[in-house]
Amino acid sequence: MLVELLPWILFMAFVLGMLALDLGVFHRNAHEVHRREALAWSAVWIGLAVAFNLGVYYFQGADKGLEWTTGYVIEKSLSVDNVFVFLMIFSTFAVPAQYQHRVLFWGIVGALVMRVFFIAVGAAVLDWFHYAIYIFGAFLVLTGLKFLRDSGDKVPTLEGNWLVRIVRRFFPVTEGYEGQKFFVRRNGVVLVTPLLLVLVLIESTDLVFAVDSIPAIFAVTDDPFIVFTSNIFAILGLRALYFVLSGYLSGLAYLKPALAVVLVFVGTKMIIVDVYKIPSLVSLAVIVTILAIAIAASFLKTRANPRNQKLEPTVAS
């Protein structure tokens, strides 16, 4: 039993250690994350993911290793949509650049907890009821089609978020930001700051993304360890990805449609799994090709119409 749990224990110890190192050492004091620092951290997270993936290839074989690679690419690509929403939220609520990392750090911690829950539930459902894979697949197809129809310019609001309304019901809110603090005490009364409300808003939007993305990885593998670790590595690199891409996203005009196509493809793969199981290598090739075409087409469109490119406010230099 201990031998079976050991990889899980070691992986969780690694995740907690990296999070503690990140917040307790490298970002102990709030500061604006510049693009060079973000690139370095993004390289670190991708490098660690590659090293872990090589370990899966070595210890569990090529098939499991390829499943991990495909799952990681799917979750990493879908996480880009989170970045779009983060950018809109931070811009809309004028969150100072030096406090954005702290919000995203605790947002990622919350996202990790939600992913653990959804992965456990998804694995249990598929183990108990195989035909649920058809439901997951249909859900992903419908989500992809919704992505195609969605203009992407709707920003979640504090007033319209039910979690934020619950927080405001129990705590008074300060008029402005109080540095990097989520709570302050005045005259013996605990108040929450707008920074906490933004964090709650980000957590609630990630809940929606989790519902969309978790079924996608079950199209690749039903191995809980591969599902869990590839998903967590994609989430851990999300903060660095945000600070790297925040100034460039508006130039990627075809990225959101490409993500929609990826979801439709993955959903279709789940629906036809009992008729024909698409090999992991083919899935990986299709997904990478879709993303590559979208990025190349976006780049060509930007070059052809440079004056029509509308850049979002850059939050990282």
Side-chain angles (χ1 to χ4, degrees):
M1 184 67 176
L2 181 60
V3 174
E4 294 177 355
L5 291 177
L6 186 59
W8 294 84
I9 295 172
L10 293 177
F11 181 75
M12 289 306 301
F14 161 76
V15 171
L16 294 175
M18 289 298 296
L19 290 174
L21 185 66
D22 186 351
L23 189 64
V25 178
F26 293 102
H27 296 94
R28 187 172 185 177
N29 298 315
H31 65 276
E32 180 178 353
V33 178
H34 295 282
R35 186 158 289 123
R36 182 176 297 179
E37 179 184 355
L39 283 169
W41 270 106
S42 189
V44 167
W45 287 118
I46 292 174
L48 289 171
V50 170
F52 189 90
N53 195 185
L54 291 175
V56 175
Y57 274 101
Y58 181 79
F59 289 105
Q60 297 192 18
D63 290 340
K64 292 293 185 180
L66 193 57
E67 288 177 358
W68 199 99
T69 305
T70 307
Y72 177 75
V73 171
I74 290 174
E75 296 300 325
K76 194 73 172 176
S77 59
L78 292 178
S79 69
V80 174
D81 209 54
N82 295 54
V83 177
F84 276 102
V85 175
F86 294 163
L87 179 61
M88 290 190 294
I89 290 175
F90 286 148
S91 299
T92 300
F93 299 105
V95 179
Q98 63 267 34
Y99 306 139
Q100 292 176 8
H101 179 275
R102 183 175 178 83
V103 174
L104 289 179
F105 176 89
W106 291 110
I108 295 304
V109 171
L112 294 178
V113 174
M114 284 189 283
R115 291 305 197 279
V116 171
F117 173 77
F118 280 113
I119 289 171
V121 171
V125 169
L126 288 177
D127 184 59
W128 174 67
F129 182 49
H130 170 73
Y131 291 104
I133 197 169
Y134 300 139
I135 299 174
F136 285 177
F139 175 76
L140 289 177
V141 171
L142 292 175
T143 302
L145 296 176
K146 180 177 179 295
F147 267 35
L148 288 174
R149 295 194 304 268
D150 187 11
S151 62
D153 55 2
K154 295 181 180 179
V155 183
T157 63
L158 292 175
E159 293 74 16
N161 186 276
W162 63 275
L163 281 175
V164 171
R165 291 201 299 269
I166 292 176
V167 172
R168 279 180 161 166
R169 181 174 298 178
F170 290 97
F171 294 95
V173 182
T174 61
E175 294 182 359
Y177 294 107
E178 299 284 338
Q180 63 177 358
K181 296 179 180 178
F182 294 124
F183 299 92
V184 295
R185 182 181 293 273
R186 292 178 182 171
N187 300 322
V189 178
V190 176
L191 296 87
V192 303
T193 70
L195 203 64
L196 179 69
L197 299 183
V198 171
L199 173 61
V200 172
L201 184 60
I202 283 180
E203 292 285 18
S204 62
T205 56
D206 187 73
L207 177 63
V208 177
F209 284 121
V211 173
D212 290 343
S213 66
I214 293 301
I217 199 168
F218 280 107
V220 177
T221 179
D222 58 0
D223 187 322
F225 187 71
I226 292 179
V227 172
F228 178 70
T229 54
S230 60
N231 197 281
I232 296 305
F233 262 112
I235 293 298
L236 287 174
L238 185 56
R239 284 164 299 143
L241 184 67
Y242 166 76
F243 289 110
V244 170
L245 295 181
S246 57
Y248 300 121
L249 284 178
S250 58
L252 300 178
Y254 298 112
L255 185 57
K256 285 182 73 68
L259 295 178
V261 174
V262 168
L263 283 176
V264 171
F265 168 74
V266 173
T268 303
K269 179 181 177 180
M270 297 182 81
I271 292 173
I272 67 172
V273 66
D274 289 330
V275 178
Y276 176 71
K277 186 175 182 179
I278 300 176
S280 297
L281 186 59
V282 174
S283 297
L284 180 61
V286 169
I287 293 167
V288 171
T289 300
I290 291 170
L291 296 174
I293 291 174
I295 293 172
S298 299
F299 178 72
L300 292 174
K301 181 179 180 181
T302 300
R303 289 190 62 183
N305 303 284
R307 294 182 180 179
N308 294 334
Q309 182 184 13
K310 297 180 180 180
L311 291 176
E312 298 285 350
T314 300
V315 295
S317 302

